[in-house]
Amino acid sequence: MGEIDRASPEILKELEALRKANAELLSEISALQKQLQGTVEMSSKPICIDGPNAISLEHNTKFFSQTQHILYGSSSVQESVAPSEAKLEVGSKARANINEETPNSQGISVAHLENDWIYEDVGGCIRKSMGNCERLHNLDPYTISRYSRQLLVPAFGVKGQENLLKSSILIIGAGGLGSPAALYLAAAGVGCLGLVDHDVVELDNLHRQVIHTEGAVGETKVKSAAAACRAINSFLKVNEHYSGLQASNAVNIISKYDIIVDATDNLPTRYLINDACVVMGKPLVSGAALGTEGQLTVYHHDDGPCYRCIFPVPPPPDACQSCSDAGVLGVVPGIIGCLQALEAIKLASGTGEPLSSRLLILDALTTSVQKVKLRGRNHSCIVCGDAPQLSRENLHQFDYEAFTSSLMSDKIPQRKQMLPLSYGVSCKEYKRRCEEGELHVLLDVRDAHQYAISALPNSVNVPFSQLKERVPQIQDLAKGIDLEVEEAYPTEVLAQSLRPIYVICRRGHDSQKTVQFLRSNGFPDTFDIVGGLECWTREVDHHFPKY
Amino acid sequence: MQLTLEFKGGLELLFGSVKVHQIEVEPSDGKDKLKLQELLIWVRNHLLKERPEMFMKGNSVRPGVLVLINDCDWELLGQLDAVVDEKDTVVFISTLHGG
Ligand SMILES: [Zn+2]
């Protein structure tokens, strides 16, 4: 106190005022203490309520002393800080109230103020912050420690973190893109994360959908992903949307969030998400990955274009490759998903320049990342243009599957029978004919890299795309002359007439087209093995690898 | 005129699975610039290996294909009327949907 003794009368006067204020505060606290008696179970264990920024009792205590310090920030009068038990009481009171009034933290729609705490609704979850008193910021000591390495980034800082903690982000698709996006957003400290997916985790997802574990195979992706996010950050509010996104629920789901991340795997859903984002005025972080390539952009932000501005007409369905057909190197959606998290964080925190009106193109094989300039908003766009035809009222009537001629899933559509039934044999029938010793040719028309995964013995690989050029070879095969596997067809059994040709592929689509082509090009004895190798695995040999 | 053409997003499958093509093409009637309209026809006649309908529709590219001239959307440069110059790079890229 020596310093204060020597201080000017003004400072002593100020100190007296502060002491008075402190005494008032203490009496208020003891009044609250009385009120609380019997209503709050005092516990030394941290209590967590539901919500992104719920603060444990322990954190509250620290938080309160921090706030006191801020109140008397410039003064060196440390003794004016209230006794710690009393502070604990105030923190408890606040918590007691929130527990009484909002048992599950849902349903509060507006911010309200209570005992200097502000409660506000962030995407259906309650966020709590200090209000009504001078403060540097809303971050309590725990939050500061937790996100310190992010707070230290000058371009992000306290403001960025505060904004992020208040934000709600919806990730549509908990697959290859959604996995890393969800993990990073959960860790970065967004307030509320929504997850949409209607699929279950499958074995062939695990190489790229890194949020799911072996133990989650068979579980819904949303449940598995939500559990992983909660394990990373227990302060995070996670909303689980199991229904998947359809025209009927898109506007409703999207309306609850600030920023939307498109991490889906199919064309009609991409148009649907775009339209719902535009009619609800939400920025859309769009990512896609296939094979060894990835693409990223932000739609409908800062007067930039929407998906329909760039692609008003959908591509023909044959041009749309899916991961289940064309494959995907796991790390490629991993990179794009991380970039989607980055763009979402930038939008939510107000940091940097979101990738609007520009497209990032990743080529993993050459490790090239290219950023190109896109056209601006199209004023005659049917959803974001000056006279839009789609609105939040009529969007649910738009038939997205018909518009794109493809399904809202990357699942393979049912095999279509294109040939007369008499041109096909079942897998079982083909096996029977083999066992009877019928001399024949088995053509496998898959691409060579698929043939290399697994193939039936004695099959000859003639990729569908090379069919026309390889007719002479097929001719030789049908005559019993196999230049590559001569011993398989001893010369003494060479027949004058052509042997029957059986054609197989992965799922029985290209094989039908091949049969059609060969039958009209001099090979009338050509048959489709119905349903392809997938059917072979199901009906004949369960050990034949399915991919 | 020397140009670099790139086919991405699966379009390379229509061009013998080759993504980058260095080409030598002469603009018609001795001009020193080439319109994209002409370039597309040249590509169809000289480079395209299969399924032309997967690359073109009418006299332009099919829906779902972006054309980028020196990293810029051709819509900003006049689309079919955009011109390319010596050593320019033109990228044809199909939009991806996978994830
Ligand atoms: Zn638009």
Side-chain angles (χ1 to χ4, degrees):
Chain A
M1 297 300 285
E3 268 180 61
I4 289 169
D5 289 340
R6 268 179 276 111
S8 64
E10 282 84 357
I11 289 182
L12 286 171
K13 225 169 135 184
E14 204 181 305
L15 178 61
E16 192 46 47
L18 286 171
R19 280 192 173 129
K20 224 174 134 186
N22 189 43
E24 278 170 26
L25 212 87
L26 280 171
S27 76
E28 210 180 305
I29 285 165
S30 79
L32 285 170
Q33 212 167 1
K34 277 174 197 155
Q35 260 184 42
L36 268 169
Q37 267 171 1
T39 63
V40 178
E41 190 195 335
M42 298 301 287
S43 162
S44 60
K45 277 186 184 167
I47 303 165
C48 261
I49 57 153
D50 214 6
N53 204 24
I55 301 158
S56 74
L57 208 52
E58 216 170 61
H59 305 144
N60 258 350
T61 318
K62 291 181 202 150
F63 186 11
F64 203 77
S65 18
Q66 168 89 358
T67 316
Q68 291 279 349
H69 196 71
I70 294 163
L71 273 168
Y72 303 105
S74 57
S75 160
S76 60
V77 191
Q78 290 296 320
E79 60 181 355
S80 62
V81 173
S84 64
E85 301 82 48
K87 287 177 290 176
L88 189 67
E89 289 297 315
V90 171
S92 306
K93 167 68 169 125
R95 181 163 312 284
N97 279 345
I98 199 167
N99 282 337
E100 283 157 19
E101 290 171 18
T102 60
N104 59 10
S105 84
Q106 297 278 350
I108 289 191
S109 54
V110 287
H112 72 279
L113 186 76
E114 203 176 285
N115 295 342
D116 280 357
W117 294 100
I118 292 173
Y119 298 104
E120 50 189 324
D121 186 350
V122 181
C125 39
I126 302 304
R127 179 167 190 281
K128 179 181 183 182
S129 56
M130 223 24 208
N132 207 25
C133 63
E134 279 182 60
R135 60 189 190 275
L136 295 173
H137 54 67
N138 286 328
L139 306 180
D140 60 85
Y142 173 84
T143 308
I144 288 172
S145 299
R146 175 159 193 153
Y147 301 112
S148 59
R149 298 305 182 266
Q150 227 154 248
L151 300 176
L152 286 167
V153 176
F156 186 75
V158 167
K159 196 74 214 143
Q161 189 67 54
E162 278 188 320
N163 291 340
L164 196 59
L165 285 164
K166 282 186 209 160
S167 70
S168 58
I169 299 177
L170 180 70
I171 301 178
I172 306 172
L177 299 164
S179 289
L183 291 171
Y184 272 96
L185 289 174
V190 303
C192 177
L193 204 56
L195 300 169
V196 184
D197 208 309
H198 65 279
D199 277 344
V200 296
V201 180
E202 292 177 51
L203 185 65
D204 63 14
N205 297 156
L206 298 182
H207 82 110
R208 68 187 189 283
Q209 303 185 11
V210 295
I211 203 166
H212 310 298
T213 60
E214 285 177 8
V217 171
E219 211 172 74
T220 64
K221 286 188 183 175
V222 164
K223 186 176 175 217
S224 161
C229 290
R230 290 192 185 104
I232 289 171
N233 195 339
S234 61
F235 291 83
L236 171 73
K237 167 79 182 177
V238 185
N239 294 332
E240 303 170 24
H241 302 279
Y242 292 96
S243 56
L245 204 77
Q246 287 115 33
S248 56
N249 65 9
V251 165
N252 185 35
I253 293 178
I254 282 173
S255 68
K256 296 195 176 98
Y257 297 88
D258 303 328
I259 294 155
I260 313 303
V261 175
D262 182 346
T264 55
D265 55 13
N266 67 83
L267 190 64
T269 307
R270 286 186 183 273
Y271 276 101
L272 167 62
I273 293 169
N274 176 73
D275 295 351
C277 283
V278 172
V279 302
M280 297 312 295
K282 313 283 182 177
L284 169 60
V285 181
S286 178
L290 190 80
T292 56
E293 289 184 37
Q295 296 171 359
L296 172 84
T297 188
V298 173
Y299 289 121
H300 192 54
H301 173 68
D302 206 12
D303 207 39
C306 82
Y307 188 55
R308 276 190 196 267
C309 293
I310 314 281
F311 302 109
V313 181
D318 282 357
C320 299
Q321 293 177 296
S322 69
C323 291
S324 51
D325 270 341
V328 60
L329 207 58
V331 71
V332 175
I335 294 164
I336 299 295
C338 284
L339 287 171
Q340 286 183 280
L342 172 66
E343 291 305 310
I345 287 169
K346 280 158 62 183
L347 287 165
S349 62
T351 310
E353 299 165 26
L355 194 72
S356 171
S357 283
R358 287 165 301 155
L359 173 73
L360 181 144
I361 302 164
L362 168 74
D363 185 341
L365 288 185
T366 53
T367 325
S368 98
V369 179
Q370 198 180 355
K371 207 169 70 181
V372 301
K373 189 166 166 33
L374 293 179
R375 69 201 75 170
R377 186 169 70 87
N378 175 2
H379 291 267
S380 53
C381 174
I382 70 158
V383 64
C384 80
D386 299 337
Q389 293 162 32
L390 283 167
S391 67
R392 64 180 81 172
E393 285 77 31
N394 69 13
L395 187 144
H396 67 279
Q397 295 163 350
F398 194 88
D399 188 339
Y400 286 90
E401 293 192 334
F403 173 64
T404 57
S405 312
S406 34
L407 295 175
M408 278 195 171
S409 150
D410 83 334
K411 299 274 176 291
I412 302 307
Q414 286 280 305
R415 171 187 171 275
K416 266 185 282 183
Q417 182 68 38
M418 298 178 287
L419 294 173
L421 289 172
S422 60
Y423 292 8
V425 298
S426 70
C427 291
K428 281 182 177 160
E429 172 60 16
Y430 171 71
K431 186 172 187 259
R432 195 187 62 76
R433 292 186 190 185
C434 288
E435 283 164 357
E436 278 181 355
E438 182 188 51
L439 289 173
H440 69 278
V441 178
L442 176 59
L443 285 189
D444 186 324
V445 293
R446 294 173 297 156
D447 280 343
H449 70 281
Q450 288 198 36
Y451 188 79
I453 298 172
S454 58
L456 291 177
N458 288 327
S459 61
V460 180
N461 185 213
V462 178
F464 180 69
S465 57
Q466 301 171 11
L467 195 58
K468 279 175 202 165
E469 303 97 273
R470 291 177 65 173
V471 164
Q473 186 198 350
I474 295 168
Q475 183 93 40
D476 285 348
L477 289 165
K479 282 181 185 160
I481 308 162
D482 188 333
L483 302 174
E484 286 166 22
V485 204
E486 254 171 305
E487 63 279 12
Y489 298 96
T491 42
E492 59 265 32
V493 296
L494 274 180
Q496 292 306 305
S497 60
L498 294 179
R499 294 172 180 183
I501 300 171
Y502 295 92
V503 187
I504 200 161
C505 65
R506 187 180 179 192
R507 298 188 175 110
H509 187 250
D510 283 350
S511 59
Q512 291 189 72
K513 290 198 269 186
T514 305
V515 169
Q516 196 137 43
F517 172 81
L518 290 178
R519 280 194 175 239
S520 47
N521 282 277
F523 303 93
D525 247 4
T526 305
F527 300 94
D528 172 38
I529 300 180
V530 175
L533 290 162
E534 288 201 346
C535 193
W536 182 264
T537 304
R538 267 197 318 273
E539 292 179 1
V540 175
D541 178 6
H542 297 298
H543 297 294
F544 188 81
K546 187 172 175 289
Y547 60 90
Chain B
M1 180 186 293
Q2 263 191 18
L3 296 174
T4 303
L5 304 187
E6 295 182 26
F7 301 93
K8 295 183 171 188
L11 286 182
E12 69 277 9
L13 298 174
L14 308 174
F15 296 87
S17 293
V18 178
K19 283 187 177 179
V20 183
H21 298 249
Q22 304 288 346
I23 63 156
E24 185 76 48
V25 53
E26 287 317 311
S28 57
D29 43 291
K31 287 176 286 185
D32 58 348
K33 286 179 197 280
L34 183 72
K35 276 195 176 182
L36 256 284
Q37 180 130 38
E38 283 181 78
L39 179 64
L40 276 177
I41 293 163
W42 189 93
V43 167
R44 186 177 59 196
N45 295 341
H46 294 84
L47 288 183
L48 191 61
K49 294 266 197 301
E50 53 181 286
R51 293 178 288 165
E53 74 283 2
M54 287 292 108
F55 181 61
M56 290 186 73
K57 186 176 182 186
N59 63 351
S60 190
V61 292
R62 70 152 166 85
V65 173
L66 279 177
V67 183
L68 308 160
I69 303 167
N70 302 328
D71 291 348
C72 184
D73 191 344
W74 76 335
E75 286 280 337
L76 295 165
L77 304 166
Q79 229 212 29
L80 287 168
D81 290 327
V83 288
V84 283
D85 222 331
E86 185 71 32
K87 302 251 191 291
D88 279 351
T89 299
V90 184
V91 177
F92 299 90
I93 185 162
S94 175
T95 171
L96 302 179
H97 321 107

